[in-house]
Amino acid sequence: MTPGSIDLHLHSTASDGRLDPASLMRHACDCGVAVAALTDHDTTSGLEAAASEAAALGMSFVPGVEISSEWRGRTIHVLGLAIDPAAPGLVAGLEGLRAERGRRAQEIASRLDAAGAPGTEALQRVLTLAELPTRTHFARALAELGAARSLAEAFERYLGRGRPAAVRSRWPAVTEAVGWIRAAGGVPVLAHPLRYMLSGGARRDLCREFREAGGLAMEVVCGGASRAQVAQAESLAARTGLAGSVGSDFHDPRVPWNPPGRLAKLPGAVPAVWSIPAFPISLPDFR
Ligand code: AMP
Ligand code: MN
Ligand code: MN
Ligand code: MN
């Protein structure tokens, strides 16, 4: 019998995923995942439904969130794993983030209009269809409205860094997000650390400041990562004193190359985040 895999980074329709929380858990289970974390952007609204479906399927469930934050002017994602979603500081912090997302969606729409893209129509779709507005929803709307051929093209033409509808978002500092997570009894994990456009030195500074603020781990194995990228992340974690996590960042079953749980093994040089003493849920060793 295969023991099943672990995936600590998954999105549902509570943010920009395609599957509702219960369907996501069923899909993850079908893909062989035995331990799953739901980590939607800036919301915990899917956790209850996901937890009960996971329990019905006999899976282990880790309640999580992926918080948008800022460091040296860049957007950085901080995962909170095994959080208490009712913790007041976290609840208040996430409410502020969602208010900022609402403001930002209006600005994205006007910038799209100014760039000659159907921003107002896209916004209308986003606000009707999305539980929480993200750039992913704008990209889908632009593709549906014929302004881009694909999600990737919508980001390349309009929504990505340096493009006309890339608005300056006012996210909280990384250290603040880490504080909310720790106060909620959770474990802060720096998401996809190699995805940020940073020099090697700046990336190490980010990891060290994250750890000094109370951060405990970083993602060492990400969806679609090459062996070389896993090795690079492993050495970054080892050098900066962070434990390692594994997560696909799954959003959409129509993206066939990144299903839940299809991830390399966490390499040996770093402790697994789920086996450090601060991790409040007891899980089997998945290595
Ligand atoms: P937001 O948090 O609203 O800025 O949206 C960020 C989300 O957009 C990420 O979590 C990804 O899911 C998605 N995203 C970012 N860049 C791209 C891209 N180039 N292609 C497809 N999706 C992207
Ligand atoms: Mn996303
Ligand atoms: Mn992310
Ligand atoms: Mn994510």
Side-chain angles (χ1 to χ4, degrees), residues 119-143:
T120 303
E121 284 156 275
L123 177 66
Q124 201 176 8
R125 280 179 183 241
V126 170
L127 296 181
T128 350
L129 297 172
E131 277 186 48
L132 155 143
T134 72
R135 284 185 299 159
T136 311
H137 295 99
F138 274 100
R140 287 181 193 145
L142 289 170

Side-chain angles (χ1 to χ4, degrees), residues 11 15-17 41 66 77 134 136 249 251:
H11 291 275
S15 66
D16 59 350
H41 298 286
E66 180 173 19
H77 287 173
T134 72
T136 311
D249 204 4
H251 286 74

Side-chain angles (χ1 to χ4, degrees), residues 9 11 15-17 41-42 66 68 75 77 101 104 108 132-140 150-156 159-161 167 169 171 192 195 249-251:
H9 189 159
H11 291 275
S15 66
D16 59 350
H41 298 286
D42 307 325
E66 180 173 19
S68 309
T75 296
H77 287 173
R101 280 190 175 276
R104 178 186 181 242
I108 291 175
L132 155 143
T134 72
R135 284 185 299 159
T136 311
H137 295 99
F138 274 100
R140 287 181 193 145
S150 66
L151 230 67
E153 195 187 271
F155 276 94
E156 274 155 35
L159 299 161
R161 219 178 136 70
V167 309
S169 311
W171 306 132
H192 41 68
R195 220 191 279 167
D249 204 4
F250 171 85
H251 286 74

Side-chain angles (χ1 to χ4, degrees), residues 245-262:
S245 188
V246 301
S248 63
D249 204 4
F250 171 85
H251 286 74
D252 187 343
R254 282 175 276 184
V255 177
W257 53 267
N258 189 32
R262 192 195 287 168

